[in-house]
PDB file of all heavy atoms in Angstrom:
ATOM      1  N   GLY A   9      -1.642  31.714   1.301  1.00  0.00           N
ATOM      2  CA  GLY A   9      -1.380  31.983  -0.133  1.00  0.00           C
ATOM      3  C   GLY A   9      -0.998  30.689  -0.861  1.00  0.00           C
ATOM      4  O   GLY A   9      -0.406  30.811  -1.939  1.00  0.00           O
ATOM      5  N   SER A  10      -1.242  29.579  -0.310  1.00  0.00           N
ATOM      6  CA  SER A  10      -1.045  28.304  -1.040  1.00  0.00           C
ATOM      7  C   SER A  10      -2.279  27.955  -1.884  1.00  0.00           C
ATOM      8  O   SER A  10      -3.400  28.088  -1.442  1.00  0.00           O
ATOM      9  CB  SER A  10      -0.824  27.222   0.007  1.00  0.00           C
ATOM     10  OG  SER A  10      -0.610  25.948  -0.576  1.00  0.00           O
ATOM     11  N   GLY A  11      -2.054  27.511  -3.076  1.00  0.00           N
ATOM     12  CA  GLY A  11      -3.199  27.196  -3.957  1.00  0.00           C
ATOM     13  C   GLY A  11      -3.174  25.776  -4.355  1.00  0.00           C
ATOM     14  O   GLY A  11      -2.608  24.864  -3.775  1.00  0.00           O
ATOM     15  N   GLU A  12      -4.077  25.522  -5.322  1.00  0.00           N
ATOM     16  CA  GLU A  12      -4.258  24.137  -5.807  1.00  0.00           C
ATOM     17  C   GLU A  12      -2.889  23.568  -6.363  1.00  0.00           C
ATOM     18  O   GLU A  12      -2.152  24.424  -6.938  1.00  0.00           O
ATOM     19  CB  GLU A  12      -5.338  24.102  -6.934  1.00  0.00           C
ATOM     20  CG  GLU A  12      -6.661  24.541  -6.438  1.00  0.00           C
ATOM     21  CD  GLU A  12      -7.310  23.300  -5.728  1.00  0.00           C
ATOM     22  OE1 GLU A  12      -7.029  22.152  -6.086  1.00  0.00           O
ATOM     23  OE2 GLU A  12      -8.123  23.526  -4.803  1.00  0.00           O
ATOM     24  N   CYS A  13      -2.672  22.367  -6.218  1.00  0.00           N
ATOM     25  CA  CYS A  13      -1.557  21.709  -6.780  1.00  0.00           C
ATOM     26  C   CYS A  13      -1.723  21.628  -8.343  1.00  0.00           C
ATOM     27  O   CYS A  13      -2.808  21.483  -8.801  1.00  0.00           O
ATOM     28  CB  CYS A  13      -1.364  20.395  -6.222  1.00  0.00           C
ATOM     29  SG  CYS A  13       0.157  19.588  -6.589  1.00  0.00           S
ATOM     30  N   THR A  14      -0.573  21.829  -9.076  1.00  0.00           N
ATOM     31  CA  THR A  14      -0.642  21.656 -10.575  1.00  0.00           C
ATOM     32  C   THR A  14      -0.518  20.247 -10.929  1.00  0.00           C
ATOM     33  O   THR A  14      -0.059  19.300 -10.041  1.00  0.00           O
ATOM     34  CB  THR A  14       0.509  22.491 -11.093  1.00  0.00           C
ATOM     35  OG1 THR A  14       1.752  21.940 -10.637  1.00  0.00           O
ATOM     36  CG2 THR A  14       0.426  23.940 -10.677  1.00  0.00           C
ATOM     37  N   ASN A  15      -0.700  19.864 -12.133  1.00  0.00           N
ATOM     38  CA  ASN A  15      -0.525  18.566 -12.671  1.00  0.00           C
ATOM     39  C   ASN A  15       0.988  18.081 -12.691  1.00  0.00           C
ATOM     40  O   ASN A  15       1.281  16.954 -12.762  1.00  0.00           O
ATOM     41  CB  ASN A  15      -1.045  18.408 -14.047  1.00  0.00           C
ATOM     42  CG  ASN A  15      -2.611  18.439 -14.054  1.00  0.00           C
ATOM     43  OD1 ASN A  15      -3.231  18.103 -13.074  1.00  0.00           O
ATOM     44  ND2 ASN A  15      -3.130  18.814 -15.199  1.00  0.00           N
ATOM     45  N   THR A  16       1.845  19.049 -12.592  1.00  0.00           N
ATOM     46  CA  THR A  16       3.284  18.747 -12.550  1.00  0.00           C
ATOM     47  C   THR A  16       3.808  18.448 -11.162  1.00  0.00           C
ATOM     48  O   THR A  16       4.972  18.147 -10.980  1.00  0.00           O
ATOM     49  CB  THR A  16       4.143  19.827 -13.242  1.00  0.00           C
ATOM     50  OG1 THR A  16       3.886  21.078 -12.480  1.00  0.00           O
ATOM     51  CG2 THR A  16       3.620  20.074 -14.657  1.00  0.00           C
ATOM     52  N   SER A  17       2.958  18.567 -10.148  1.00  0.00           N
ATOM     53  CA  SER A  17       3.280  18.233  -8.793  1.00  0.00           C
ATOM     54  C   SER A  17       4.377  19.248  -8.181  1.00  0.00           C
ATOM     55  O   SER A  17       5.140  18.858  -7.337  1.00  0.00           O
ATOM     56  CB  SER A  17       3.687  16.848  -8.627  1.00  0.00           C
ATOM     57  OG  SER A  17       2.754  15.964  -9.021  1.00  0.00           O
ATOM     58  N   ASP A  18       4.410  20.408  -8.771  1.00  0.00           N
ATOM     59  CA  ASP A  18       5.408  21.467  -8.193  1.00  0.00           C
ATOM     60  C   ASP A  18       5.139  21.736  -6.685  1.00  0.00           C
ATOM     61  O   ASP A  18       6.119  21.976  -5.993  1.00  0.00           O
ATOM     62  CB  ASP A  18       5.182  22.735  -8.998  1.00  0.00           C
ATOM     63  CG  ASP A  18       5.741  22.667 -10.427  1.00  0.00           C
ATOM     64  OD1 ASP A  18       6.531  21.704 -10.696  1.00  0.00           O
ATOM     65  OD2 ASP A  18       5.304  23.437 -11.201  1.00  0.00           O
ATOM     66  N   CYS A  19       3.945  21.570  -6.321  1.00  0.00           N
ATOM     67  CA  CYS A  19       3.597  21.950  -4.915  1.00  0.00           C
ATOM     68  C   CYS A  19       4.252  20.876  -3.994  1.00  0.00           C
ATOM     69  O   CYS A  19       4.791  21.244  -2.902  1.00  0.00           O
ATOM     70  CB  CYS A  19       2.110  21.860  -4.664  1.00  0.00           C
ATOM     71  SG  CYS A  19       1.376  20.337  -5.040  1.00  0.00           S
ATOM     72  N   GLU A  20       4.367  19.592  -4.335  1.00  0.00           N
ATOM     73  CA  GLU A  20       4.993  18.599  -3.489  1.00  0.00           C
ATOM     74  C   GLU A  20       6.558  18.888  -3.305  1.00  0.00           C
ATOM     75  O   GLU A  20       7.087  18.845  -2.247  1.00  0.00           O
ATOM     76  CB  GLU A  20       4.896  17.247  -4.112  1.00  0.00           C
ATOM     77  CG  GLU A  20       5.339  16.049  -3.241  1.00  0.00           C
ATOM     78  CD  GLU A  20       5.183  14.729  -3.801  1.00  0.00           C
ATOM     79  OE1 GLU A  20       4.935  14.567  -5.019  1.00  0.00           O
ATOM     80  OE2 GLU A  20       4.975  13.800  -3.054  1.00  0.00           O
ATOM     81  N   ALA A  21       7.169  19.380  -4.459  1.00  0.00           N
ATOM     82  CA  ALA A  21       8.528  19.638  -4.310  1.00  0.00           C
ATOM     83  C   ALA A  21       8.838  20.892  -3.502  1.00  0.00           C
ATOM     84  O   ALA A  21       9.951  21.011  -2.863  1.00  0.00           O
ATOM     85  CB  ALA A  21       9.160  19.861  -5.804  1.00  0.00           C
ATOM     86  N   ALA A  22       7.975  21.804  -3.484  1.00  0.00           N
ATOM     87  CA  ALA A  22       8.084  23.033  -2.721  1.00  0.00           C
ATOM     88  C   ALA A  22       7.633  23.050  -1.347  1.00  0.00           C
ATOM     89  O   ALA A  22       7.872  23.980  -0.560  1.00  0.00           O
ATOM     90  CB  ALA A  22       7.366  24.207  -3.505  1.00  0.00           C
ATOM     91  N   CYS A  23       6.895  22.032  -1.028  1.00  0.00           N
ATOM     92  CA  CYS A  23       6.197  21.982   0.354  1.00  0.00           C
ATOM     93  C   CYS A  23       7.272  21.879   1.455  1.00  0.00           C
ATOM     94  O   CYS A  23       8.018  20.902   1.479  1.00  0.00           O
ATOM     95  CB  CYS A  23       5.251  20.802   0.389  1.00  0.00           C
ATOM     96  SG  CYS A  23       4.376  20.700   1.976  1.00  0.00           S
ATOM     97  N   PRO A  24       7.206  22.838   2.389  1.00  0.00           N
ATOM     98  CA  PRO A  24       8.178  22.769   3.492  1.00  0.00           C
ATOM     99  C   PRO A  24       7.941  21.595   4.501  1.00  0.00           C
ATOM    100  O   PRO A  24       8.784  21.126   5.254  1.00  0.00           O
ATOM    101  CB  PRO A  24       8.031  24.039   4.194  1.00  0.00           C
ATOM    102  CG  PRO A  24       6.660  24.507   3.894  1.00  0.00           C
ATOM    103  CD  PRO A  24       6.370  23.961   2.531  1.00  0.00           C
ATOM    104  N   ARG A  25       6.684  21.041   4.449  1.00  0.00           N
ATOM    105  CA  ARG A  25       6.337  20.032   5.300  1.00  0.00           C
ATOM    106  C   ARG A  25       6.369  18.567   4.650  1.00  0.00           C
ATOM    107  O   ARG A  25       5.856  17.615   5.227  1.00  0.00           O
ATOM    108  CB  ARG A  25       4.991  20.139   5.991  1.00  0.00           C
ATOM    109  CG  ARG A  25       5.078  21.334   6.928  1.00  0.00           C
ATOM    110  CD  ARG A  25       3.803  21.433   7.757  1.00  0.00           C
ATOM    111  NE  ARG A  25       3.860  22.463   8.725  1.00  0.00           N
ATOM    112  CZ  ARG A  25       3.456  22.410   9.907  1.00  0.00           C
ATOM    113  NH1 ARG A  25       2.846  21.351  10.272  1.00  0.00           N
ATOM    114  NH2 ARG A  25       3.578  23.389  10.662  1.00  0.00           N
ATOM    115  N   GLU A  26       6.739  18.672   3.339  1.00  0.00           N
ATOM    116  CA  GLU A  26       6.882  17.376   2.547  1.00  0.00           C
ATOM    117  C   GLU A  26       5.522  16.616   2.506  1.00  0.00           C
ATOM    118  O   GLU A  26       5.470  15.426   2.559  1.00  0.00           O
ATOM    119  CB  GLU A  26       7.944  16.527   3.081  1.00  0.00           C
ATOM    120  CG  GLU A  26       9.344  17.147   2.995  1.00  0.00           C
ATOM    121  CD  GLU A  26      10.516  16.363   3.584  1.00  0.00           C
ATOM    122  OE1 GLU A  26      10.266  15.216   3.988  1.00  0.00           O
ATOM    123  OE2 GLU A  26      11.654  16.777   3.470  1.00  0.00           O
ATOM    124  N   ILE A  27       4.415  17.349   2.305  1.00  0.00           N
ATOM    125  CA  ILE A  27       3.193  16.747   2.116  1.00  0.00           C
ATOM    126  C   ILE A  27       3.031  16.211   0.775  1.00  0.00           C
ATOM    127  O   ILE A  27       3.291  16.874  -0.270  1.00  0.00           O
ATOM    128  CB  ILE A  27       2.031  17.758   2.400  1.00  0.00           C
ATOM    129  CG1 ILE A  27       2.037  18.218   3.900  1.00  0.00           C
ATOM    130  CG2 ILE A  27       0.627  17.084   2.123  1.00  0.00           C
ATOM    131  CD1 ILE A  27       1.212  19.374   4.226  1.00  0.00           C
ATOM    132  N   SER A  28       2.659  14.991   0.562  1.00  0.00           N
ATOM    133  CA  SER A  28       2.660  14.347  -0.723  1.00  0.00           C
ATOM    134  C   SER A  28       1.490  14.827  -1.549  1.00  0.00           C
ATOM    135  O   SER A  28       0.454  15.270  -1.021  1.00  0.00           O
ATOM    136  CB  SER A  28       2.541  12.804  -0.577  1.00  0.00           C
ATOM    137  OG  SER A  28       1.229  12.436  -0.277  1.00  0.00           O
ATOM    138  N   VAL A  29       1.655  14.879  -2.859  1.00  0.00           N
ATOM    139  CA  VAL A  29       0.641  15.333  -3.827  1.00  0.00           C
ATOM    140  C   VAL A  29      -0.588  14.357  -3.697  1.00  0.00           C
ATOM    141  O   VAL A  29      -1.710  14.733  -3.936  1.00  0.00           O
ATOM    142  CB  VAL A  29       1.234  15.339  -5.169  1.00  0.00           C
ATOM    143  CG1 VAL A  29       1.485  13.983  -5.811  1.00  0.00           C
ATOM    144  CG2 VAL A  29       0.282  16.081  -6.113  1.00  0.00           C
ATOM    145  N   ASP A  30      -0.380  13.061  -3.293  1.00  0.00           N
ATOM    146  CA  ASP A  30      -1.509  12.184  -3.096  1.00  0.00           C
ATOM    147  C   ASP A  30      -2.500  12.630  -1.988  1.00  0.00           C
ATOM    148  O   ASP A  30      -3.638  12.617  -2.177  1.00  0.00           O
ATOM    149  CB  ASP A  30      -1.086  10.735  -2.709  1.00  0.00           C
ATOM    150  CG  ASP A  30      -0.257  10.058  -3.882  1.00  0.00           C
ATOM    151  OD1 ASP A  30      -0.483  10.435  -5.003  1.00  0.00           O
ATOM    152  OD2 ASP A  30       0.692   9.341  -3.485  1.00  0.00           O
ATOM    153  N   PHE A  31      -1.931  13.044  -0.954  1.00  0.00           N
ATOM    154  CA  PHE A  31      -2.765  13.605   0.095  1.00  0.00           C
ATOM    155  C   PHE A  31      -3.564  14.900  -0.274  1.00  0.00           C
ATOM    156  O   PHE A  31      -4.671  15.081  -0.022  1.00  0.00           O
ATOM    157  CB  PHE A  31      -1.897  13.906   1.364  1.00  0.00           C
ATOM    158  CG  PHE A  31      -2.603  14.521   2.551  1.00  0.00           C
ATOM    159  CD1 PHE A  31      -3.412  13.672   3.350  1.00  0.00           C
ATOM    160  CD2 PHE A  31      -2.652  15.859   2.819  1.00  0.00           C
ATOM    161  CE1 PHE A  31      -4.250  14.189   4.413  1.00  0.00           C
ATOM    162  CE2 PHE A  31      -3.526  16.451   3.778  1.00  0.00           C
ATOM    163  CZ  PHE A  31      -4.233  15.536   4.600  1.00  0.00           C
ATOM    164  N   SER A  32      -2.788  15.773  -0.995  1.00  0.00           N
ATOM    165  CA  SER A  32      -3.337  16.965  -1.427  1.00  0.00           C
ATOM    166  C   SER A  32      -4.526  16.710  -2.389  1.00  0.00           C
ATOM    167  O   SER A  32      -5.557  17.375  -2.324  1.00  0.00           O
ATOM    168  CB  SER A  32      -2.295  17.824  -2.216  1.00  0.00           C
ATOM    169  OG  SER A  32      -1.316  18.246  -1.226  1.00  0.00           O
ATOM    170  N   SER A  33      -4.372  15.769  -3.362  1.00  0.00           N
ATOM    171  CA  SER A  33      -5.485  15.440  -4.202  1.00  0.00           C
ATOM    172  C   SER A  33      -6.673  14.785  -3.490  1.00  0.00           C
ATOM    173  O   SER A  33      -7.805  15.078  -3.910  1.00  0.00           O
ATOM    174  CB  SER A  33      -4.974  14.596  -5.447  1.00  0.00           C
ATOM    175  OG  SER A  33      -4.590  13.345  -4.881  1.00  0.00           O
ATOM    176  N   GLU A  34      -6.359  13.982  -2.498  1.00  0.00           N
ATOM    177  CA  GLU A  34      -7.387  13.400  -1.725  1.00  0.00           C
ATOM    178  C   GLU A  34      -8.264  14.365  -0.999  1.00  0.00           C
ATOM    179  O   GLU A  34      -9.448  14.380  -0.887  1.00  0.00           O
ATOM    180  CB  GLU A  34      -6.942  12.366  -0.847  1.00  0.00           C
ATOM    181  CG  GLU A  34      -7.897  11.602   0.000  1.00  0.00           C
ATOM    182  CD  GLU A  34      -7.351  10.475   0.925  1.00  0.00           C
ATOM    183  OE1 GLU A  34      -6.206   9.959   0.556  1.00  0.00           O
ATOM    184  OE2 GLU A  34      -7.949  10.193   1.852  1.00  0.00           O
ATOM    185  N   MET A  35      -7.470  15.405  -0.420  1.00  0.00           N
ATOM    186  CA  MET A  35      -8.095  16.531   0.351  1.00  0.00           C
ATOM    187  C   MET A  35      -8.987  17.273  -0.607  1.00  0.00           C
ATOM    188  O   MET A  35     -10.141  17.688  -0.238  1.00  0.00           O
ATOM    189  CB  MET A  35      -7.141  17.330   1.027  1.00  0.00           C
ATOM    190  CG  MET A  35      -7.762  18.429   1.867  1.00  0.00           C
ATOM    191  SD  MET A  35      -6.638  19.615   2.461  1.00  0.00           S
ATOM    192  CE  MET A  35      -6.171  20.485   0.940  1.00  0.00           C
ATOM    193  N   SER A  36      -8.504  17.562  -1.748  1.00  0.00           N
ATOM    194  CA  SER A  36      -9.274  18.412  -2.716  1.00  0.00           C
ATOM    195  C   SER A  36     -10.512  17.614  -3.086  1.00  0.00           C
ATOM    196  O   SER A  36     -11.579  18.258  -3.253  1.00  0.00           O
ATOM    197  CB  SER A  36      -8.453  18.684  -4.019  1.00  0.00           C
ATOM    198  OG  SER A  36      -7.380  19.507  -3.631  1.00  0.00           O
ATOM    199  N   ALA A  37     -10.502  16.389  -3.331  1.00  0.00           N
ATOM    200  CA  ALA A  37     -11.734  15.541  -3.651  1.00  0.00           C
ATOM    201  C   ALA A  37     -12.629  15.595  -2.617  1.00  0.00           C
ATOM    202  O   ALA A  37     -13.918  15.792  -2.759  1.00  0.00           O
ATOM    203  CB  ALA A  37     -11.269  14.114  -4.066  1.00  0.00           C
ATOM    204  N   ASP A  38     -12.223  15.421  -1.277  1.00  0.00           N
ATOM    205  CA  ASP A  38     -13.101  15.410  -0.154  1.00  0.00           C
ATOM    206  C   ASP A  38     -13.758  16.773  -0.082  1.00  0.00           C
ATOM    207  O   ASP A  38     -14.954  16.849   0.183  1.00  0.00           O
ATOM    208  CB  ASP A  38     -12.318  15.157   1.054  1.00  0.00           C
ATOM    209  CG  ASP A  38     -11.888  13.695   1.160  1.00  0.00           C
ATOM    210  OD1 ASP A  38     -12.456  12.838   0.430  1.00  0.00           O
ATOM    211  OD2 ASP A  38     -11.098  13.312   2.091  1.00  0.00           O
ATOM    212  N   TYR A  39     -12.969  17.830  -0.332  1.00  0.00           N
ATOM    213  CA  TYR A  39     -13.488  19.231  -0.187  1.00  0.00           C
ATOM    214  C   TYR A  39     -14.597  19.387  -1.227  1.00  0.00           C
ATOM    215  O   TYR A  39     -15.731  19.998  -1.029  1.00  0.00           O
ATOM    216  CB  TYR A  39     -12.492  20.204  -0.279  1.00  0.00           C
ATOM    217  CG  TYR A  39     -12.841  21.651  -0.214  1.00  0.00           C
ATOM    218  CD1 TYR A  39     -13.260  22.196   1.011  1.00  0.00           C
ATOM    219  CD2 TYR A  39     -12.956  22.449  -1.306  1.00  0.00           C
ATOM    220  CE1 TYR A  39     -13.599  23.525   1.069  1.00  0.00           C
ATOM    221  CE2 TYR A  39     -13.386  23.728  -1.219  1.00  0.00           C
ATOM    222  CZ  TYR A  39     -13.730  24.266   0.013  1.00  0.00           C
ATOM    223  OH  TYR A  39     -14.060  25.621   0.095  1.00  0.00           O
ATOM    224  N   PHE A  40     -14.319  18.938  -2.427  1.00  0.00           N
ATOM    225  CA  PHE A  40     -15.303  19.115  -3.571  1.00  0.00           C
ATOM    226  C   PHE A  40     -16.626  18.319  -3.282  1.00  0.00           C
ATOM    227  O   PHE A  40     -17.661  18.795  -3.404  1.00  0.00           O
ATOM    228  CB  PHE A  40     -14.654  18.566  -4.834  1.00  0.00           C
ATOM    229  CG  PHE A  40     -15.591  18.718  -6.109  1.00  0.00           C
ATOM    230  CD1 PHE A  40     -15.847  19.961  -6.605  1.00  0.00           C
ATOM    231  CD2 PHE A  40     -16.103  17.573  -6.618  1.00  0.00           C
ATOM    232  CE1 PHE A  40     -16.639  20.067  -7.731  1.00  0.00           C
ATOM    233  CE2 PHE A  40     -16.875  17.692  -7.738  1.00  0.00           C
ATOM    234  CZ  PHE A  40     -17.160  18.950  -8.285  1.00  0.00           C
ATOM    235  N   ARG A  41     -16.489  17.115  -2.823  1.00  0.00           N
ATOM    236  CA  ARG A  41     -17.669  16.304  -2.456  1.00  0.00           C
ATOM    237  C   ARG A  41     -18.490  16.989  -1.370  1.00  0.00           C
ATOM    238  O   ARG A  41     -19.749  17.032  -1.355  1.00  0.00           O
ATOM    239  CB  ARG A  41     -17.277  14.904  -1.997  1.00  0.00           C
ATOM    240  CG  ARG A  41     -16.984  13.976  -3.161  1.00  0.00           C
ATOM    241  CD  ARG A  41     -16.734  12.525  -2.749  1.00  0.00           C
ATOM    242  NE  ARG A  41     -15.649  12.292  -1.853  1.00  0.00           N
ATOM    243  CZ  ARG A  41     -14.518  12.024  -2.267  1.00  0.00           C
ATOM    244  NH1 ARG A  41     -14.238  11.811  -3.487  1.00  0.00           N
ATOM    245  NH2 ARG A  41     -13.516  11.823  -1.439  1.00  0.00           N
ATOM    246  N   ALA A  42     -17.759  17.502  -0.313  1.00  0.00           N
ATOM    247  CA  ALA A  42     -18.505  18.224   0.793  1.00  0.00           C
ATOM    248  C   ALA A  42     -19.239  19.559   0.228  1.00  0.00           C
ATOM    249  O   ALA A  42     -20.361  19.740   0.602  1.00  0.00           O
ATOM    250  CB  ALA A  42     -17.524  18.560   1.852  1.00  0.00           C
ATOM    251  N   ALA A  43     -18.624  20.130  -0.598  1.00  0.00           N
ATOM    252  CA  ALA A  43     -19.207  21.450  -1.268  1.00  0.00           C
ATOM    253  C   ALA A  43     -20.478  21.006  -1.995  1.00  0.00           C
ATOM    254  O   ALA A  43     -21.396  21.714  -1.974  1.00  0.00           O
ATOM    255  CB  ALA A  43     -18.153  22.103  -2.127  1.00  0.00           C
ATOM    256  N   LEU A  44     -20.458  19.889  -2.647  1.00  0.00           N
ATOM    257  CA  LEU A  44     -21.633  19.462  -3.460  1.00  0.00           C
ATOM    258  C   LEU A  44     -22.744  19.192  -2.504  1.00  0.00           C
ATOM    259  O   LEU A  44     -23.913  19.344  -2.847  1.00  0.00           O
ATOM    260  CB  LEU A  44     -21.253  18.276  -4.458  1.00  0.00           C
ATOM    261  CG  LEU A  44     -20.392  18.583  -5.596  1.00  0.00           C
ATOM    262  CD1 LEU A  44     -20.108  17.348  -6.372  1.00  0.00           C
ATOM    263  CD2 LEU A  44     -21.124  19.573  -6.500  1.00  0.00           C
ATOM    264  N   LYS A  45     -22.419  18.544  -1.362  1.00  0.00           N
ATOM    265  CA  LYS A  45     -23.465  18.105  -0.526  1.00  0.00           C
ATOM    266  C   LYS A  45     -23.929  19.273   0.365  1.00  0.00           C
ATOM    267  O   LYS A  45     -24.931  19.132   1.080  1.00  0.00           O
ATOM    268  CB  LYS A  45     -22.923  17.030   0.516  1.00  0.00           C
ATOM    269  CG  LYS A  45     -22.679  15.734  -0.249  1.00  0.00           C
ATOM    270  CD  LYS A  45     -22.149  14.625   0.725  1.00  0.00           C
ATOM    271  CE  LYS A  45     -22.015  13.336   0.016  1.00  0.00           C
ATOM    272  NZ  LYS A  45     -21.510  12.242   0.997  1.00  0.00           N
ATOM    273  N   GLY A  46     -23.144  20.352   0.364  1.00  0.00           N
ATOM    274  CA  GLY A  46     -23.592  21.569   1.125  1.00  0.00           C
ATOM    275  C   GLY A  46     -23.116  21.448   2.673  1.00  0.00           C
ATOM    276  O   GLY A  46     -23.645  22.049   3.539  1.00  0.00           O
TER     277      GLY A  46
END
Side-chain angles (χ1 to χ4, degrees):
S10 177
E12 292 282 329
C13 191
T14 65
N15 288 336
T16 59
S17 303
D18 291 337
C19 58
E20 185 175 27
C23 182
R25 292 190 175 218
E26 299 178 0
I27 298 172
S28 78
V29 71
D30 295 330
F31 179 79
S32 296
S33 62
E34 185 177 331
M35 184 191 68
S36 293
D38 288 346
Y39 181 75
F40 181 71
R41 282 191 293 270
L44 287 177
K45 289 181 179 180

